[in-house]
Amino acid sequence: MSSAIEPELLPLTAEEGPAGLTVGAVPLTELARRFGTPLFVYDEEHLRRRCQEAVAAFGRDNVAYASKAFLCTAMARLAHEEGMLLDVASGGELAVALRAGVPADRIVLHGNNKDEAELRRAISARVRHIVVDSFDEMDRIERLHATGELPPAQIQLRIAPGVAAGAHESIRTGGSDSKFGFGLADGSATTAVRRAAASPAMVLEGVHAHVGSQVLDATELAAGAAAVARFAAQSGVCRLTVGGGLGVVYEAGQSAPTFAEWAVRVRDAARGAGWDGDVAVEPGRSIVARAGLTLYRVGTIKHIHGVRTYVSVDGGMSDNLRPALYASRYEAFLPRSPRSPRPLRARLVGKHCESGDVIIDNAALPADLQVSDVLATPVTGAYGYAMASNYNKLPRPAVVFVRDGHARVVVRRETEDDLLRLDTDAAPVEMSVRSGAGELVAARQSSV
Ligand code: LLP
């Protein structure tokens, strides 16, 4: 595996020019120089084409971009402009989508523990539907409706179909032992349908399931679709959503189904299970992953004789938690010479204060890699920035969209002031309850 980086890992408009690799006709090394590193770079043309392909495969009202994969106002607007619905999974994601100008009737709300404020905001904004996850959530919706201030909520019911898939235990969701949804196996799903159908607070339009994420085998996605479709057909609802989960290629040699193949497989599976309506989906990763890459600058190269080489860059687990969390694999290349073979084996690490801060273990890198080089990790557009943190008080990177020779900053880099913006010098607030109980515990402790 010392060959050059595979074009299938790069954004669609990637090309080699005199200044090395360009994306959107902008040299990556120039982006690093102008906007600093670490930097998330998205190929806007690629993002738009992926949205268009998904809409073409499933239909305008049948595909919601799962914004948890990567959300900012520019991304919300782009997905909306390309005809996608937006799936949000919290009040925060809902707020960003609404502030971006996405109409509420193009937004669907998810979450296994939505609080009353999130539900109130979604219902009063009249989101397209809420995917209801539990009986406790139904209680909350009914309480809110009983105030007389809100219309009935349009809902789909999240089902745990007993089929789980996905690249890692943490991202498999659809099994019977799951925090998400009403179980098919124990009859909860049937009870939930009856309760929702009878409630004046809810308009039950459909059922929903999501079996897991980074699924490369369409057969698994089809199995999940079949299980929930059978239940949807029996329940007499009019909408069926089979979630997201379509995997992407992170390393050379993998392959992933296309949107068109995914559509055929889940539709066939749903038909086979007795469902004759549309099938809706919620792709996240497969829209944004390959469109994005991360640029780092190499800071140190350390050879430990007889052990290994460490290459440290100026980001790490604060901008890409996936290797630490899911043992996810990535590749790396030098934008200045994208066709270089990569015979050097090294552990590519970040700058955080722990040994688990590994971006790529046993990375294949060009032999002439040097300190100060700009290094890129491709296919980092999904769940990278979305899960970024300020660990070790690193400012979160900027995000730029590139297209037709232009770059626009859609999320600016954090500053030192941003790192301090939540700290306060607030005066202490008197909170103790002077019941004497504290003294009792103290007295007991001193007698031990
Ligand atoms: N719909 C629902 C209800 C979901 O829970 C998810 C993802 C999606 C759609 C989108 O799935 P996708 O098409 O992106 O696979 N942080 C993890 C992924 C967690 C996915 C959670 N739910 C990772 O970095 O792999």
Side-chain angles (χ1 to χ4, degrees):
M1 223 256 301
S2 62
S3 51
I5 192 81
E6 290 284 339
E8 63 172 358
L9 298 180
L10 300 175
L12 290 172
T13 70
E15 277 179 5
E16 197 179 353
L21 197 80
T22 65
V23 174
V26 180
L28 293 180
T29 49
E30 192 52 28
L31 285 166
R33 199 188 57 75
R34 177 74 176 267
F35 300 108
T37 51
L39 184 70
F40 282 93
V41 179
Y42 283 86
D43 178 352
E44 185 168 341
E45 187 58 37
H46 186 136
L47 288 173
R48 289 187 186 275
R49 275 202 243 160
R50 289 303 278 165
C51 293
Q52 290 157 10
E53 284 167 29
V55 170
F58 290 94
R60 209 181 117 81
D61 290 336
N62 293 325
V63 52
Y65 167 57
S67 68
K68 69 202 80 183
F70 167 59
L71 180 63
C72 61
T73 47
M75 185 62 214
R77 274 183 205 134
L78 184 153
H80 173 60
E81 282 164 14
E82 296 301 341
M84 296 187 89
L85 301 166
L86 222 68
D87 149 358
V88 297
S90 72
E93 289 182 354
L94 175 60
V96 173
L98 289 172
R99 290 240 213 144
V102 179
D105 69 0
R106 301 292 296 169
I107 299 175
V108 304
L109 176 68
H110 277 277
N112 69 302
N113 182 14
K114 308 172 192 77
D115 64 27
E116 242 176 62
E118 289 173 316
L119 290 167
R120 186 182 303 109
R121 181 152 194 205
I123 298 168
S124 61
R126 293 175 191 262
V127 297
R128 187 178 198 86
H129 64 251
I130 295 173
V131 180
V132 172
D133 212 285
S134 68
F135 293 113
D136 295 304
E137 183 176 343
M138 289 191 180
D139 292 346
R140 271 171 225 153
I141 292 174
E142 287 180 336
R143 266 203 306 276
L144 286 167
H145 188 253
T147 62
E149 291 159 16
L150 296 174
Q154 298 285 324
I155 68 155
Q156 294 194 8
L157 292 177
R158 172 79 179 251
I159 305 302
V163 177
H168 185 274
E169 185 56 38
S170 306
I171 54 176
R172 288 179 206 133
T173 41
S176 304
D177 179 2
S178 168
K179 74 169 181 170
F180 297 103
F182 299 98
L184 271 189
D186 69 357
S188 310
T190 305
T191 311
V193 166
R194 279 201 208 106
R195 175 164 167 192
S199 172
M202 292 172 259
V203 179
L204 174 62
E205 63 172 39
V207 298
H208 174 290
H210 168 79
V211 293
S213 198
Q214 181 53 14
V215 184
L216 291 171
D217 181 354
T219 307
E220 295 180 343
L221 293 166
V228 68
R230 195 167 301 116
F231 179 73
Q234 285 160 8
S235 309
V237 295
C238 57
R239 302 276 306 161
L240 168 65
T241 308
V242 296
L246 185 66
V248 302
V249 170
Y250 282 102
E251 287 185 291
Q254 295 177 314
S255 71
T258 62
F259 284 133
E261 285 160 359
W262 186 26
V264 168
R265 293 298 298 273
V266 293
R267 270 196 211 117
D268 285 354
R271 297 268 173 289
W275 174 258
D276 55 12
D278 283 353
V279 178
V281 289
E282 296 161 342
R285 187 190 319 267
S286 51
I287 298 288
V288 293
R290 184 180 157 195
L293 51 78
T294 312
L295 300 180
Y296 299 105
R297 205 169 281 279
V298 175
T300 69
I301 301 175
K302 168 175 151 173
H303 303 287
I304 309 176
H305 186 68
V307 181
R308 72 174 83 246
T309 297
Y310 280 87
V311 174
S312 304
V313 294
D314 52 358
M317 64 196 302
S318 56
D319 58 70
N320 190 354
L321 193 55
R322 302 193 68 260
L325 214 50
Y326 317 119
S328 307
R329 297 285 307 168
Y330 288 85
E331 295 204 28
F333 68 97
L334 283 177
R336 67 169 161 82
S337 60
R339 292 207 201 184
S340 289
R342 296 171 298 162
L344 173 69
R345 287 290 175 280
R347 181 173 284 174
L348 182 68
V349 297
K351 63 179 285 162
H352 292 280
C353 295
E354 61 178 80
S355 302
D357 176 27
V358 176
I359 302 172
I360 310 173
D361 197 16
N362 203 23
L365 297 167
D368 65 342
L369 177 88
Q370 292 166 15
V371 168
S372 295
D373 261 333
V374 173
L375 189 70
T377 49
V379 204
T380 56
Y383 304 107
Y385 192 83
M387 298 200 295
S389 77
N390 289 128
Y391 183 35
N392 290 136
K393 289 289 186 233
L394 260 62
R396 279 176 296 178
V399 183
V400 295
F401 280 15
V402 289
R403 191 186 199 186
D404 295 335
H406 291 76
R408 59 179 173 125
V409 176
V410 296
V411 183
R412 69 163 171 78
R413 184 176 305 281
E414 284 182 323
T415 62
E416 197 174 289
D417 284 342
D418 290 321
L419 296 178
L420 289 160
R421 75 187 187 279
L422 304 177
D423 294 22
T424 80
D425 287 319
V429 178
E430 165 69 70
M431 294 288 291
S432 62
V433 182
R434 298 207 174 277
S435 65
E439 283 157 42
L440 193 64
V441 172
R444 274 208 204 116
Q445 275 172 349
S446 65
S447 69
V448 178

